[in-house]
Amino acid sequence: MNKMSRGEFLKLGSLSLLGALASDAVLANDTFFSADATAKVDHELMKKLIATNDTSVKLVLQKGLPNTGIRLSNFRPLATTIAILSAAVSHKDSAFYKSEKLVEHLNQTADILLKSQYSDGTLDAGGNRQSPPDTAFVLESICSVATVLNNHKQEQLEGLRNKLKKFIQNAGEAMITGGIHTPNHRWVVCTALANINSLYPDVRYVNRIDQWLAEGIYLNKDGHYAERSGVYSAVIDKALITMAALLNKPELLEIVHKNLITYYYYTEPNGDLVTVDSKRQDQFMNLTATKFYLQYRFMAIKTGNPMFIAMVNRIEKTPDFEQYVLKDSLVSFMENPKLQQQIPADAKWNLDFEQFFTFSNLARIRRGKTSITLFGGNDKPLMIVSGRSSNPNFLMYRKGEAVLKYMRMASSFFRMGYFSSDGIEKVGNKYILRETKEADYYQPLAAEFIKPDGDYQLSESKDRRFWNKMDFENRVASNVKKQTTIIEIEENNGILNLDFKVDGPPNTEITIEMCFKEGTKIEGATLGDKGNYFLKSSIATVSMENDSIQLGPGKAEHQSVNNLDSEEYTYHQGSLRTDGLHVYVTGFTPFHHKMTIS
């Protein structure tokens, strides 16, 4: 593998990449091209970065050093602090340029970091003890700092540079030999190794990178990494961009390019990210596209792709841009001056689209102010663990500020919980979701399996609903009950016509649950117990500011809307119910109901 120095990395920004990275989702003649050598610096953005970084410095100084009497369990904030202070003391336009007070604070902070480092080079991170991958996340900031300090040498910072060098090289030993937990950790560790090698070259770093890269970087046809997670896609994209440059592997940018196209479609007009299909913790979190800002900016400058330019401009207008980008990203812009280049203020790009991600079983539709997400891609069998998709939200609908956070459907059928579709079938402009649930009863054991003391093995029932000392494997299942659910969703210019059909044992309670953003005004539904609304036969209007959504007609045949989750949750008093205003449509099997959302 060819290696590249830090200086060459920065020069890469002015070199054309080898070949064209084609994608069906971009213009046919869209190619990766060299940046204009006369490109202007985005002075407005740089002023904001410097000013916000200076504000962060003031907060750090006001807060003071961490209490050394209490051992830290998370070192990423400490590394971020070092990055913020180092950028300020090194940038000539900062109010803290060459500040002796900052130099002193930096040295004391670096001492805490070094003192906390184990002899094997690792740090702790919460419950992860002596963790190589978590140390790699810390190295991301510390290596950027080392690069900036090397490029803006000040005699008074020599001691700090030596301390950081010691920390980095100690950690490098852990990166060479240490293991990982999750798919994205491999590329975080590789990036740490590439960064360290660019600062202090050692063939062992490159050899370890080769070992991890030999496993291959998974990206499916939808443009998703293995974890299908917004949090970790942003992490991987940043890692691959760095590796592409430092290891002279521009082909890695092909992967980044495809993933960023996917997350363009996963971004709501206000910058929120669709996370419903994630296989990690963010499937139940609210995220924004700010996590991808540096990645989109780098690739927008590198490729000129109008889709990426549009994303950069959109993210810069989001409410959390200052908090999550401006506050601590100055060091990244100093490390890689290519990020400082101006990009067009606007890009001509059709904001309306319909995109069906067949591997994820997720559809994204945009019609003007209306944004729709349909999902039917849970991992089966459904299990509530990290690394598997289990979010029961199958429909999300937005019209400006009016937001249907999710629609779910639950059944009291053997307390098996929410509907979870077995994929999505697309027929014309109709999306079809289906699920079949089965539950069993059990016959007495045959004579050859009987134990007089009744001490049978603790085992799982055949329908996976519960465990008991019943030797289910050797019992005959009988009285098998089956429930089939079909939901047809037809989309016409942002209007959804929904057709629900649930068949199976009669008189089973069916509940359609809709959760709207906090602060929503609801008209046309009846307020019941515990703040729940029931939509009867009428049409409801839900409004936020100047935007509204109409839905209905409804049906309200029962009010059993508590404990809709399966026993996997309710046995432990857990629940998936979220904050917001909840509106219910209820009935009994055989259940057939049509409604419209517009």
Side-chain angles (χ1 to χ4, degrees):
M1 178 187 296
N2 295 327
K3 62 189 179 186
M4 183 177 290
S5 70
R6 277 277 159 159
E8 290 172 321
F9 171 26
L10 301 181
K11 290 177 184 176
L12 182 68
S14 63
L15 299 176
S16 59
L17 293 176
L18 303 178
L21 308 183
S23 169
D24 292 339
V26 296
L27 302 176
N29 62 350
D30 183 31
T31 59
F32 285 75
F33 56 90
S34 61
D36 185 348
T38 62
K40 296 180 180 179
V41 170
D42 189 336
H43 292 292
E44 268 316 299
L45 177 61
M46 292 306 298
K47 285 179 183 177
K48 290 178 183 178
L49 283 163
I50 294 165
T52 312
N53 193 81
D54 279 356
T55 299
S56 298
V57 170
K58 293 174 187 176
L59 294 174
V60 168
L61 295 178
Q62 182 181 342
K63 186 176 181 181
L65 291 165
N67 185 347
T68 55
I70 301 175
R71 184 170 179 85
L72 294 176
S73 60
N74 181 8
F75 292 91
R76 292 195 212 179
L78 197 69
T80 299
T81 294
I82 292 174
I84 289 169
L85 299 184
S86 297
V89 81
S90 301
H91 200 290
K92 63 180 179 60
D93 293 329
S94 168
F96 296 94
Y97 182 51
K98 294 187 176 181
S99 165
E100 292 182 5
K101 187 175 183 179
L102 256 60
V103 173
E104 180 183 359
H105 198 105
L106 276 164
N107 275 289
Q108 291 174 317
T109 307
D111 288 339
I112 295 171
L113 191 64
L114 274 170
K115 185 179 179 181
S116 303
Q117 190 176 35
Y118 289 104
S119 59
D120 67 352
T122 61
L123 297 167
D124 294 328
N128 294 339
R129 316 312 296 174
Q130 296 173 273
S131 168
D134 289 290
T135 305
F137 279 110
V138 170
L139 282 167
E140 180 182 357
S141 294
I142 298 302
C143 288
S144 293
V145 169
T147 301
V148 169
L149 294 180
N150 286 346
N151 292 340
H152 302 79
K153 285 189 177 178
Q154 298 179 32
E155 186 176 343
Q156 62 177 343
L157 294 173
E158 186 64 27
L160 176 63
R161 283 198 297 271
N162 290 334
K163 290 174 183 179
L164 296 184
K165 179 179 180 180
K166 181 179 180 181
F167 174 83
I168 291 168
Q169 289 186 316
N170 287 344
E173 297 303 310
M175 299 299 101
I176 292 170
T177 60
I180 50 90
H181 288 147
T182 58
N184 74 85
H185 283 173
R186 294 170 295 179
W187 318 130
V188 174
V189 167
C190 283
T191 300
L193 288 163
N195 277 319
I196 300 170
N197 186 67
S198 71
L199 290 162
Y200 317 111
D202 188 325
V203 69
R204 296 179 304 152
Y205 301 142
V206 179
N207 289 341
R208 185 63 164 176
I209 293 170
D210 285 340
Q211 191 175 2
W212 285 118
L213 284 177
E215 295 187 2
I217 302 170
Y218 176 81
L219 190 82
N220 67 23
K221 291 183 179 179
D222 283 347
H224 277 301
Y225 299 115
E227 293 164 292
R228 212 164 66 186
S229 157
V231 169
Y232 296 112
S233 291
V235 167
I236 295 171
D237 287 342
K238 184 181 287 187
L240 297 185
I241 287 171
T242 301
M243 289 163 63
L246 297 183
L247 304 174
N248 195 18
K249 285 186 168 291
E251 65 274 13
L252 295 178
L253 295 183
E254 295 183 41
I255 302 171
V256 176
H257 191 259
K258 293 174 183 176
N259 184 252
L260 291 181
I261 287 172
T262 294
Y263 274 94
Y264 170 87
Y265 291 114
Y266 271 57
T267 303
E268 298 286 9
N270 70 342
D272 287 350
L273 282 181
V274 172
T275 61
V276 64
D277 61 335
S278 172
K279 294 173 181 284
R280 296 296 304 278
Q281 68 270 26
D282 55 315
Q283 64 183 284
F284 294 106
M285 291 168 57
N286 295 321
L287 297 179
T288 68
T290 50
K291 287 185 173 293
F292 289 89
Y293 177 72
L294 294 179
Q295 299 87 317
Y296 274 116
R297 186 173 187 89
F298 178 89
M299 293 296 285
I301 293 168
K302 173 62 68 178
T303 69
N305 187 332
M307 182 183 284
F308 299 163
I309 293 170
M311 282 298 293
V312 171
N313 290 319
R314 182 187 303 178
I315 294 171
E316 288 180 351
K317 294 179 177 67
T318 57
D320 63 354
F321 180 64
E322 178 175 331
Q323 180 182 358
Y324 293 114
V325 177
L326 294 178
K327 185 179 73 172
D328 56 17
S329 295
L330 177 60
V331 71
S332 296
F333 283 75
M334 294 174 69
E335 179 190 20
N336 183 4
K338 182 175 180 64
L339 292 172
Q340 299 180 24
Q341 290 183 203
Q342 276 189 355
I343 62 170
D346 199 5
K348 293 182 179 179
W349 192 258
N350 185 8
L351 297 179
D352 283 8
F353 60 77
E354 179 173 359
Q355 197 76 7
F356 183 31
F357 297 92
T358 56
F359 275 66
S360 302
N361 284 287
L362 182 141
R364 286 280 296 145
I365 303 169
R366 177 86 55 79
R367 312 292 187 202
K369 292 178 69 174
T370 300
S371 178
I372 301 164
T373 304
L374 307 177
F375 177 59
N378 285 158
D379 292 314
K380 299 295 183 79
L382 204 62
M383 297 171 65
I384 314 304
V385 294
S386 177
R388 293 178 72 87
S389 170
S390 59
N391 193 316
N393 304 347
F394 66 85
L395 187 155
M396 283 68 57
Y397 188 97
R398 298 182 177 216
K399 185 182 285 184
E401 293 298 319
V403 177
L404 170 57
K405 294 169 65 175
Y406 60 75
M407 177 182 281
R408 302 171 176 171
M409 186 162 70
S411 164
S412 65
F413 180 80
F414 289 87
R415 298 298 172 194
M416 295 178 76
Y418 286 110
F419 167 81
S420 178
S421 184
D422 297 314
I424 297 180
E425 179 186 4
K426 188 175 188 301
V427 180
N429 61 343
K430 184 181 292 186
Y431 293 87
I432 304 171
L433 295 81
R434 295 184 176 89
E435 182 195 35
T436 299
K437 282 182 164 71
E438 287 189 7
D440 311 318
Y441 293 90
Y442 299 95
Q443 293 294 314
L445 284 168
E448 65 265 31
F449 299 116
I450 290 177
K451 295 183 178 181
D453 62 359
D455 188 13
Y456 300 102
Q457 182 178 353
L458 178 66
S459 60
E460 187 178 24
S461 65
K462 291 183 178 181
D463 53 20
R464 305 180 65 90
R465 290 192 298 122
F466 56 89
W467 289 68
N468 232 311
K469 292 175 69 66
M470 290 281 289
D471 192 8
F472 291 109
E473 182 181 352
N474 290 310
R475 292 181 186 271
V476 174
S478 68
N479 309 86
V480 178
K481 303 302 176 184
K482 185 180 295 188
Q483 178 179 277
T484 60
T485 301
I486 300 175
I487 304 174
E488 297 184 354
I489 304 172
E490 185 178 41
E491 187 271 333
N492 287 296
N493 197 30
I495 298 172
L496 297 183
N497 295 307
L498 290 80
D499 188 354
F500 300 89
K501 299 174 186 175
V502 185
D503 292 306
N507 304 312
T508 301
E509 294 161 319
I510 302 299
T511 303
I512 298 172
E513 179 181 38
M514 292 168 282
C515 179
F516 294 88
K517 188 168 71 172
E518 298 86 337
T520 297
K521 180 181 179 181
I522 298 178
E523 297 177 307
T526 303
L527 182 61
D529 294 337
K530 297 181 180 181
N532 295 320
Y533 288 85
F534 291 87
L535 182 59
K536 298 182 178 179
S537 58
S538 61
I539 303 293
T541 300
V542 294
S543 305
M544 176 68 80
E545 296 182 8
N546 296 320
D547 298 308
S548 63
I549 298 172
Q550 282 73 44
L551 55 99
K555 177 186 289 190
E557 296 181 347
H558 68 80
Q559 294 192 10
S560 298
V561 296
N562 298 316
N563 300 317
L564 300 178
D565 317 271
S566 68
E567 288 189 14
E568 196 163 7
Y569 286 97
T570 57
Y571 182 78
H572 298 280
Q573 289 76 55
S575 175
L576 285 173
R577 182 183 169 101
T578 68
D579 293 336
L581 297 181
H582 294 76
V583 179
Y584 294 94
V585 173
T586 64
F588 293 92
T589 54
F591 182 82
H592 186 194
H593 184 68
K594 293 183 178 182
M595 60 186 297
T596 299
I597 301 178
S598 64

